[in-house]
Structure formats: C-alpha cells, structure tokens
C-alpha cells in the first residue's frame, strides 16, 4: 500500500477506535421482569460472563439485601434470562448491577404504565362512588336523568383536575416547607371555593349559553366529598405531580362513569312498579348496591400480573 | 335548598368591599391562629400516644415485662456513597446516647461511632425502615437461645390481591416467630382481609427460622378442630399449649392453610413473613457485634 | 312531630332536639351527608366516632355563627361559614388523632371530609344565622344527635348481620351475612332502613301525604 494510504487507514482507525470500543463494551438495551421470577436482559455488544456471581439484583427499598440468582441462561438475540430464587414483581423498582463489566441499571415499569395503573385504579378498582362511598351527596341527586348525569360528569372532571393540581402545588411548595400541614383542610376547601367561583364568573362572562347549562353543577360541586378527598389523598401519599394528575383524572372519570350508569338504570326504573315505601331514594340505594357489587369484580385488576 | 338569593343584588360601595375583604381576611387569620394553637397542644399527645401504642404492642408480642429495654434501630441509605447507616437508640428516650454504624452495600464496615440521640439526621440520608430489639432486664423467664436478648419486632409489607398488607412480626432471639399481627389491609372483607384473622396469622407463630424459610401455602381447607385450636392459642391462655399439644404435633409440620378464596393474599403474606425474617437475620448478623454496648 | 318553622316564636329546646332526631333526621329524612352513612357504618364504634365528630362540629359551628353573625357581611356569608366549619373540623380532627388514635385510623379520611357536608352549612344558613344563641345550640345538638343515632342504627344493623358482633363484642358464631360488611351491603342497608322509616312515617301520619313525600322526593335535591 502506498504510504499515504497507510497513514489514512491509521488515522481512520484512531478516529473510529473509541466508537468501536464503545460498541464492543456491552450495554443493557432492555431489562424486563417476567413473572414469576425471571429477568430478561438484552445486551448490545459482547455478552458478559454467564455467571451467577456476576449479577446482583436488589429492590430499591432494600438495597443491602441481594436477591439470590438461581440460574443464568443465554437466549437467542443477544439476551440473558436470569432466574431468581424469589418471586419478582413487575411493578416493583429494582437495581441491577453487573460486576464485569461494571454496569448499573434500574429495572422499573415505565412511568406511563404506572400512571395508567393509578388512573384505572381510581376509576374502576377503587371507584370513588362504589368502593369508597364518596360523593354520594351529589350522586343521588344528579343521577336521575342521563343528560344531567353527563353534564355533571364533565364539569366535575374538569374542576377536579384544576383543583387537584392547584392543591398539590400549594401543599408541596407552601404548606410542606413551612410545616403548616394542619392547615390542609382549610387551604384545600379554599382552593375548591376559589376555583368554582372563578370558573363560574368566567363562564358567565364569556359563554352565557354554557353557563346556563353547566352553572348549576358548578355550585353543587362544592359540597361533593370527592373534590376534597382527592387532594387529601394526594397529600397523604406524598404523590408527585403526575400521580396527582392521574388520580384526579381517574377519580373524575370514575365519578362520571358511575353517574352515567346510575342514570341509565334510574331512567329504566321509572317504568317499574316500586313499592310505596321504597319509592325515590331507597330504591336508588338498592340500585347503587347492585352496582357496587358489580364493581367488586374489578378487585384484582392489575396490568402487570 | 337554595343558597343563592334570587333578587337582583345592589352594587357594593367601596366601603363595603373594604369591610368584606377585612372581615374575610380576619376570619382566615383567626381560624389559622386557632388551628395553630390546637396543633401545638395536640401534637405532643399524638406522638406520645403513638409511641406508647408501639411500645405496648412490642411488649405484648414478645411477652415482656415493663422493665425490659427496647432499642429502636433506624436504617438509612446514603445514596451517593452507597452505604447503609444504622442508628440505634433507646426507644422513646430523646436525650440519651445513640450509636451509629455504617456498612457498604456489600456488608463491609464503613463507620462506627457514638452520638447523641438528639443529633439531627443529615439530609443526604434517606430513611429506609426500622426495627426494634428488646432486651430483658436480667429477669427470671427462660427462653430458647437465652441471653439478655429478648427478641425483635419488625414491620413488613406484602402486596396483597388489591392493596398492600402491613404486618408486625415478633421474633425470638434465634429468629423463630413469637407473634404476628396484621396492622393494615384494604382488601375485601371475607376474602383478602381475612389474613388479619386470628386463625390465619396464628399459623406462623412458633415456627422456627428454618421452617419459615421453606414455608409453602396449600389450598386444602383447614380442619375445623385445628381452626378452633388456633383461635384458642391466639388468646394466649396459659394452658392452651398443653391442651392442644396433640393438634400442634399433627399440624406443625404442615404448610400454611390459605384463606378460602384468597390464595394470592395468603401466599403474599407468607412470602412477606419469610422475607422479613430473612432480612432481619442478615442485618442483625452484621449489627450484633457493633451494638453490644448499646443494648 | 311536624317540622319546626323558623319564623315565629323561638322554639323550645325539647322540640328542637326531637325535631333533629325524628322529623328532620339528616340521614333518613333529609337525605343529606350520606357519604359517611355508608362508609363508616361497617361497625358501631366507627359510626359512634364519626357521629360524635359531626355533633361537635355542628354544635361548635352553630354557636360560633350565632355569636359572630353581626360581623359577617351577608354577601360573603357562605365563604365565612365554610371557613368556620373548616377550622372546627381541623381542630376536631387533630384532637381525635391525638386522643383516640386506634379508632381514628379507620375513619380518618371521613372526619376530614365533614367540611364538605351539606347538612352543617345548611343548618347554619337556615337556623344559626337567624336565631339567638341558646335555640341555636339546641338545634345543632338535635341535628348532631339525629346524625349520631342514624349512624349507630345503621352500624348496629350492619355489624350484627355482617360480622356477628356489636361494638366489637362477638355475639353470633361466625359471620351470618357477610354481605352487609361490604360496601354494597352498606347501600342496601340504608335503602332498607330508609324504606322502613318511610313506612313507619306513613302509618303514623295516615292520611297526610306531606311527610313521606319529603323523603321520596329527597332524590331531587341531594345537595
């Protein structure tokens, strides 16, 4: 080869060397927990030693107790399958460490999956009306007809989101640092009243038609237990902003769903022959009881199992 | 019930607006002040009541007398430095001496010092959990694996069918189960919440550490005589052990009978108890030589 | 017992209290503040704790408003009532947390939610802002007692049938009808008890249709 070409090849190799080295260093592309006790890893680059001592898995909550590795099995597609002596929970947060090469990796479900779980839990598994029995004050009053139910559901969800986020921010950045936790109830109900009043005034000035339709629901929301329960639950659990938002959306959606189902059933009830003592509220309670029984069926709903 | 006045409202004068704003602000401030006072008055009682309840529970679960010493060991994680820090101090004593021991995540000693209980916890230490170690005051009760050590009480968690289950496990000095109590479960009554019942949790009591490590759960229905015996044993009558000796021998080696219709919760609690015992064992093996003087 | 009118001569204490328990019982007749009626009545003790909490908040708020109504501007009376109720609820919440922690742990969230109850603010608006101190005190007491008795009744019904015990003391072997300990059972219990009260009321006022129609139409204004 002419000497100039040799120099070019050498320079090219020098420039590409770091990239080649990086490509040769194994990296973990994906780590997934597969129930009941497997961890599936996909690597790029050369596979590390397939040795139980090479891997160390701990939960985020107990980082000093490694979970015993039973078996390390290579799999096609540059993967490893690790089997552990103990059940692994797909919803749990784990730390994975390799000794050689020294790689550290967090194994946890995606934040979107977690948020979806919170939303589904708030709407179905722990439905605020049928499982936590909150919001009944308004529930029986507004669920007599389908269009009032839909109107209330939409209004409530929107107000719920605004109130929950504002309350969360106040609790996290004002009440918490100043250790004024005992003022929570006062502050949260104040936020509710403020949001309701603000929306009412704004709606009256900008959209009189909408105000005529939805205005009455706004006033009723202030005495709805759910509107206060969600900020309290968020504060109690110390949720982050996304979890607070997910709980607000889920609870609003769950309430709207409960209202809608109940209104459909109650419209049908108007054609039934109800005994005189049961007419009105008592039979509505019995209906709610049947719905609550049905919602118990959502108990074990879990995306990750 | 109509809260809004229907007739047209007269316009507010400037003076009235000022009066309204002042009265509302005044109401808020007075309210906040009242709450502050109530908070200061009740906070002390609340914490004292919480501590007293925990101390009573520890004494009940381990069968201790009032003179026994309870040491609280709190665990922290120094994230950046990858160290686990333990602080041991007499439970409920805000003014005594505490002992702090630090280990790396692999179990090597990284620090050992005395300090005052009132010393604040540095910001970079995240709390991980705590457990209690009880020592007798040189009493006359004899127990297996004797020595002044009376046992451990740890809180454990497990994921039930619908919601987490929190429980306390009390262990003898050689890590057999002295008592087990479920403190919180939000599962359905009659199904997952049945794990809190006497007859279910009493199945764990009396098992040795080896039995717990290899414990399994069976879906077979529990024999009625064994269930009645478990309820009687849970009441801790002095002659209960003698009366039910035959049943104990028959059932002790068998796996845990799951709650009918709540196999997942039963398995979760069993696994949780196993993990709790195992973890305390490992940590105590590291800590024991370092905490001799503190206990 | 006919409903007490607020205009006219000041009502006597005994009438007020009986009114709160029977004719205008917040749960069974006015159908207000139903959330805790289902939530905390799985045992009698939970119902007692929340009933006592509501009684205290009702009496204290009514008395506070009766004492300070001169300084409350009519345009902002609802927000001020809300502030007063919130303050008393927080105070009662902290007190219960400190002195009855074991019981409080089960009903903690619902004690905090008392501030959203329509019954308390409606009593303030309808009675406390117009009547002097002593009748207001007895009216608050009557309403609170009515609420407490309603909760204890539902709690006893559910606990006896669902868990076979009363206030924690086991009476029946096992659980006769576990269904009543579930939330669905709570809804059914209240429906049954309401129907029962309606039937009793109709028989007592046979011929007069005004009273029973109140509860039947209670679904119309659930606020």
């Amino acid at each position: 080869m002419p000497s100039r070409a040799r120099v070019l090849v050498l320079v090219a190799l020098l420039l590409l060397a770091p990239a080649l080295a990086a490509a040769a260093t194994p990296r973990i592309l994906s780590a997934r927990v597969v129930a009941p006790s497997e961890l599936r890893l996909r690597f790029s680059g050369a596979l590390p030693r397939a040795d139980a001592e090479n891997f160390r898995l701990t939960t985020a909550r107990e980082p000093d107790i490694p979970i015993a590795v039973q078996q390390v099995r290579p799999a096609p597609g540059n993967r490893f399958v690790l089997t552990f002596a103990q059940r692994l929970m797909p919803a749990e947060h784990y730390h994975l460490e390799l000794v050689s090469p020294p790689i550290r990796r967090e194994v946890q479900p995606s934040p979107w999956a977690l948020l979806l779980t919170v939303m589904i839990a708030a709407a179905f598994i722990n439905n605020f009306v049928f499982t936590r029995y909150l919001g009944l004050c308004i529930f029986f009053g507004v669920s007599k007809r389908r269009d009032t139910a839909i109107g209330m559901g939409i209004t409530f969800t929107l107000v719920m989101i605004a109130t929950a986020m504002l309350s969360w921010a106040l609790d996290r950045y004002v009440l918490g640092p100043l250790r004024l936790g005992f003022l929570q109830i006062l502050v949260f109900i104040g936020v509710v009243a403020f949001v309701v009043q603000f929306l009412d005034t704004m709606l009256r000035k900008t959209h009189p038609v909408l105000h005529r339709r939805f205005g009455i629901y706004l006033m009723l929301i202030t005495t709805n237990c759910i509107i206060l329960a969600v900020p309290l639950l968020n504060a109690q659990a110390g949720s982050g902003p996304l979890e607070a938002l997910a709980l607000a959306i889920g609870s609003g959606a769950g309430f709207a769903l409960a209202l809608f189902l109940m209104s459909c059933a109650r419209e049908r009830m108007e054609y039934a022959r109800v005994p005189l003592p049961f007419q009105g509220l008592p039979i509505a309670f019995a209906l709610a009881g049947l719905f609550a029984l049905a919602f118990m069926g959502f108990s074990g709903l879990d995306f990750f199992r | 019930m109509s809260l809004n006045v229907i007739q047209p409202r007269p316009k507010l004068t400037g003076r009235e607006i000022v009066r309204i704003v002042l009265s509302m602000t005044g109401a808020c401030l007075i309210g906040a002040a009242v709450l502050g006072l109530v908070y200061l008055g009740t906070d002390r009682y609340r914490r004292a009541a919480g501590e007293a309840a925990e101390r009573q529970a520890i004494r009940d679960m381990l069968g201790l007398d009032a003179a026994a010493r309870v040491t609280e060991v709190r665990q922290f994680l120094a994230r950046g430095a990858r160290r686990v820090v333990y602080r041991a101090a007499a439970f409920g004593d805000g003014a005594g001496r505490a002992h702090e021991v630090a280990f790396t995540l692999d179990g090597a000693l990284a620090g050992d010092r005395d300090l005052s209980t009132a010393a604040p916890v540095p910001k970079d230490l995240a709390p991980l959990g705590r457990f209690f170690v009880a020592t007798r005051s040189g009493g006359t009760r004899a127990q297996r694996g004797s020595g002044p050590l009376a046992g451990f009480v740890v809180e454990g968690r497990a994921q039930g069918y619908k919601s987490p289950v929190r429980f306390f496990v009390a262990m003898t000095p050689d890590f057999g189960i002295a008592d087990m109590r479920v403190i919180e479960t939000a599962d359905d009554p009659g199904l997952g919440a049945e794990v809190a019942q006497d007859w279910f949790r009493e199945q764990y009591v009396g098992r040795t550490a080896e039995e717990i490590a290899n414990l399994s759960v069976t879906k077979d229905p529990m024999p009625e005589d064994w269930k009645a015996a478990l309820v009687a044993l849970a009441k801790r009558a002095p002659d209960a052990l003698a009366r039910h000796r035959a049943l104990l021998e028959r059932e002790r080696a068998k796996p845990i009978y799951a709650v009918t219709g709540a196999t997942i919760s039963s398995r979760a609690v069993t696994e949780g108890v196993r993990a709790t015992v195992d973890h305390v064992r490992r940590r105590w093996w590291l800590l024991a030589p370092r905490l001799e003087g503190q206990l | 017992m006919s409903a007490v009118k607020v205009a006219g001569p000041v009502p006597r204490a005994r009438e007020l209290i009986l009114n709160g328990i029977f004719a205008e019982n917040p749960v069974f007749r006015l159908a207000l503040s139903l959330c805790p009626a289902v939530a905390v009545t799985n045992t009698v003790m939970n119902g007692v704790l929340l009933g006592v909490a509501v009684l205290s908040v009702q009496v204290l708020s009514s008395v506070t408003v009766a004492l300070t109504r001169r300084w409350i501007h009519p345009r902002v009376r609802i927000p001020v009532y809300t502030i007063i109720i919130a303050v008393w609820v927080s105070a009662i919440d902290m007190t219960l947390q400190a002195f009855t922690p074991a019981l409080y742990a089960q009903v903690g969230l619902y004690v905090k939610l008392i501030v959203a109850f329509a019954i308390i603010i409606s009593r303030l608006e309808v009675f406390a802002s117009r009547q002097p101190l002593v009748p207001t005190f007895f009216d608050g007491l009557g309403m609170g007692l009515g609420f407490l008795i309603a909760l204890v009744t539902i709690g006893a019904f559910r606990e006896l049938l669902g868990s076979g015990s009363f206030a924690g003391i086991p009476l029946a072997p096992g659980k006769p009808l576990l269904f009543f300990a579930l939330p669905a059972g709570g809804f059914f219990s209240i429906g049954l008890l309401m129907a029962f009260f309606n039937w009793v009321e109709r028989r007592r006022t046979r011929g007069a249709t005004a009273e029973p129609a109140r509860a039947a139409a209670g679904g119309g204004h659930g606020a």
Side-chain angles (χ1 to χ4, degrees):
Chain A
M1 241 196 286
S3 65
R4 194 174 292 174
R6 242 181 288 168
V7 168
L8 275 172
V9 168
L10 268 172
V11 167
L13 276 174
L14 276 170
L15 284 172
L16 288 173
L20 285 172
T25 323
R27 280 181 306 124
I28 300 183
L29 290 177
S30 82
R32 206 160 54 95
V33 172
V34 175
S37 45
E38 276 182 14
L39 180 65
R40 299 211 178 141
L41 302 170
R42 193 155 70 92
F43 285 90
S44 78
L47 285 178
R49 261 187 10 243
D51 201 344
E53 275 100 45
N54 203 15
F55 297 91
R56 187 176 191 269
L57 186 75
T58 59
T59 60
R61 254 184 291 132
E62 317 218 348
D64 55 334
I65 311 268
I67 304 176
V69 182
Q70 258 181 356
Q71 190 194 42
V72 180
R73 217 178 56 228
N78 231 27
R79 292 167 209 262
F80 270 157
V81 175
L82 279 70
T83 315
F84 291 87
Q86 173 182 318
R87 284 177 72 99
L88 297 178
M89 297 276 135
E92 182 90 49
H93 181 181
Y94 296 101
H95 293 309
L96 176 68
E97 282 177 22
L98 272 75
V99 177
S100 120
I103 307 178
R104 262 188 245 168
R105 168 96 185 192
E106 306 287 323
V107 182
Q108 55 189 327
S110 80
W112 298 113
L114 276 177
L115 290 178
L116 200 62
T117 311
V118 172
M119 261 194 264
I120 301 282
F124 294 106
I125 307 173
N126 279 324
N127 183 291
F128 274 74
V129 177
F130 294 128
T131 316
R132 291 202 224 227
Y133 353 99
L134 292 173
L136 298 179
C137 335
I138 307 302
F139 182 68
F140 286 107
V142 178
S143 61
K144 289 187 92 173
R145 290 181 44 216
R146 222 181 305 178
D147 45 1
T148 53
I150 297 178
M152 184 60 166
I154 298 176
T155 320
F156 179 79
T157 310
L158 295 171
V159 174
M160 181 79 256
I161 296 175
T163 316
M165 294 319 292
L166 206 51
S167 305
W168 178 87
L170 275 174
D171 185 60
R172 173 67 71 97
Y173 296 116
V174 176
L175 293 181
L178 295 176
R179 299 188 37 169
L180 291 174
F182 57 90
L183 288 180
Q184 263 174 5
I185 300 178
L186 197 53
V187 168
F188 291 162
I189 197 76
V191 169
V192 171
F194 171 74
V195 168
V196 165
Q197 196 59 51
F198 176 75
L199 282 177
D200 186 60
T201 318
M202 214 183 62
L203 214 55
R204 196 201 316 235
K205 297 268 164 60
T206 57
H207 274 282
V209 176
L210 272 181
H211 182 261
R212 228 167 320 142
R213 243 208 104 187
F214 291 111
I216 184 65
Y217 304 132
L218 270 181
M219 284 303 137
L220 289 178
I221 288 178
T222 337
T223 56
N224 188 333
C225 308
I226 305 182
I227 202 83
L228 193 60
V230 168
L232 283 174
L233 286 171
N234 278 330
Q236 212 172 31
S239 317
L242 285 177
E243 284 161 335
L245 182 63
L247 187 66
I249 298 178
S251 62
F255 187 67
L257 177 70
L259 271 180
F260 180 68
L261 291 173
M262 192 68 170
S263 67
C264 293
R266 277 181 95 172
E267 279 191 352
R268 301 285 289 271
M269 280 301 296
E270 285 175 22
Y271 299 109
R273 276 187 11 207
V274 181
L276 206 44
F278 276 91
Q279 274 178 12
L281 220 45
I283 197 68
F285 265 98
L287 266 180
L290 287 173
F291 276 115
L293 262 184
F295 269 72
M296 263 185 80
F298 286 114
S299 271
L301 188 63
D302 185 351
F303 283 125
F304 300 113
R305 224 194 284 279
Chain B
M1 174 190 72
S2 150
L3 293 181
N4 289 321
V5 182
I6 306 293
Q7 56 258 36
R9 303 195 233 188
K11 279 219 40 108
L12 285 174
T13 63
R15 216 175 134 240
E16 284 194 2
I17 293 182
V18 168
R19 197 177 136 216
I20 290 178
V21 168
L22 277 181
S23 63
M24 289 221 41
T25 319
C28 284
L29 288 177
I30 296 177
V34 166
L35 284 181
L37 285 173
V38 175
Y39 176 70
L40 288 174
T42 58
D43 191 48
R44 233 178 340 121
Y45 282 105
R46 187 164 45 88
R47 262 177 300 145
E51 259 178 29
E54 283 184 329
R55 186 189 291 277
Q56 188 61 41
I58 295 170
R59 249 189 261 138
D60 284 342
M61 290 177 90
L62 287 175
L64 303 171
D65 54 15
R69 230 173 100 87
V70 175
T71 308
E72 180 191 14
V73 179
R74 288 188 292 163
Q75 186 184 5
F76 302 92
L77 175 67
R79 222 182 293 275
R82 290 167 55 74
R83 276 185 307 148
V84 180
V85 177
Y86 296 94
R87 240 191 226 199
F91 184 42
D93 178 11
R97 304 293 303 166
H99 198 83
E100 191 177 276
V101 190
F103 293 97
T104 66
L105 291 184
D106 297 318
L109 185 65
D112 188 340
R113 60 177 181 144
D114 261 340
L115 44 102
S116 153
T117 312
V121 175
K123 280 272 166 64
D124 62 329
L125 290 185
L128 275 188
R130 62 198 180 94
F131 62 94
F132 299 94
V133 185
T135 45
R136 284 186 214 290
S137 54
T140 55
R141 292 205 215 182
Q143 271 227 326
R144 278 188 300 169
S146 67
L149 199 60
F152 309 89
V153 176
V154 195
E155 182 183 320
R157 294 189 65 193
Q159 179 62 29
Y161 188 57
K162 201 162 109 173
S163 59
V165 182
R166 280 174 53 220
F167 49 88
F168 273 137
V169 181
M171 287 169 264
T172 59
D174 57 352
F175 301 101
I177 308 279
D179 200 352
M180 196 278 245
R181 276 187 206 177
V182 173
I183 34 178
E184 188 188 314
T185 166
D187 274 359
D188 302 314
L191 294 169
E194 289 290 290
V195 296
Q197 295 290 335
D198 283 355
W199 60 265
F200 179 77
R201 55 184 186 78
E202 191 67 20
Q203 295 181 90
Y204 297 95
V205 174
R207 298 201 188 234
T208 67
E210 285 71 40
E211 286 171 14
I212 292 284
N214 300 316
L215 204 49
S216 61
V217 174
T218 169
K219 282 199 210 179
D220 293 341
M222 184 184 278
E224 282 303 319
D225 52 358
W226 181 223
K227 190 184 246 191
L230 283 169
V231 173
L233 283 168
K235 295 201 195 356
R236 298 274 184 277
D239 59 340
L241 275 171
R243 250 188 307 132
H244 300 284
R245 192 188 305 277
L247 276 171
L248 276 167
E249 276 175 19
R250 189 184 87 194
E251 301 286 343
R252 249 313 164 239
K254 292 207 186 148
I256 298 279
Y257 291 100
V259 173
T260 314
T263 320
I264 292 185
S265 296
S266 312
R267 287 207 177 116
V269 171
T270 307
E271 171 61 26
V273 170
R274 188 206 64 79
T276 310
V277 172
D278 179 56
H279 294 182
V280 170
R281 244 181 130 166
R282 291 199 210 204
R283 292 182 175 135
W284 189 245
W285 186 77
L286 286 176
L287 277 174
R290 302 277 136 209
L291 290 182
E292 297 280 74
Q294 179 71 21
L295 288 177
Chain C
M1 194 80 40
S2 59
V4 177
K5 314 281 183 295
V6 284
V10 173
R12 284 187 12 234
R14 190 169 152 270
E15 282 175 20
L16 286 169
I17 295 187
L18 287 176
N19 178 51
I21 299 180
F22 291 107
E24 289 194 315
N25 185 297
V27 175
F28 292 128
R29 304 289 300 169
L30 300 181
L32 293 174
S33 310
L34 298 167
C35 300
V38 184
V40 297
T41 49
N42 48 351
T43 61
V44 169
M45 289 315 290
N46 289 353
V48 164
L49 192 73
L50 200 76
V52 165
V54 170
L55 176 68
S56 323
V57 171
Q58 175 77 70
V59 169
L60 289 168
S61 311
S62 298
V63 165
T64 313
V65 168
L67 285 174
T68 59
R69 62 193 164 153
R70 237 178 309 131
W71 296 298
I72 302 176
H73 193 282
R75 280 288 288 269
V76 288
R77 65 187 189 290
I78 301 293
V80 173
Y81 295 162
T82 313
I83 294 177
I84 293 176
I85 298 176
V87 168
W88 284 120
V89 168
S90 304
I92 299 281
D93 180 64
M94 282 192 265
T95 314
L96 284 177
Q97 210 174 356
F99 295 109
T100 57
L103 272 180
Y104 176 84
Q106 300 189 44
V107 300
L109 183 65
Y110 295 96
V111 173
K112 295 196 172 77
L113 291 179
I114 295 178
V115 71
F117 284 9
I119 177 64
I120 303 186
I121 206 168
S122 85
R123 266 354 253 186
L124 293 182
E125 163 79 359
V126 161
F127 207 90
S129 55
R130 293 165 206 198
Q131 298 283 344
L133 180 59
V134 175
T136 308
F137 173 78
F138 283 111
D139 175 71
L141 193 62
M143 279 294 157
L145 277 176
F147 194 79
L148 176 63
I149 291 176
L151 284 192
V152 169
T153 311
I154 304 174
F157 184 71
R158 284 181 76 187
E159 195 179 350
L160 271 171
L161 287 179
S163 314
S165 60
F166 184 85
I169 309 168
L171 289 178
K175 301 188 204 292
L177 287 171
L178 178 67
F179 172 68
F180 282 103
L182 300 174
F187 283 111
F188 270 103
S189 320
I190 299 183
L192 284 171
L193 285 170
M194 264 194 191
F196 176 70
F197 271 87
N198 281 350
W199 180 77
V200 164
E201 230 8 68
R202 277 173 50 80
R203 289 192 62 134
R204 271 184 357 101
T205 63
R206 200 176 281 275
T209 51
E211 281 306 286
R214 187 71 154 327
H221 48 87

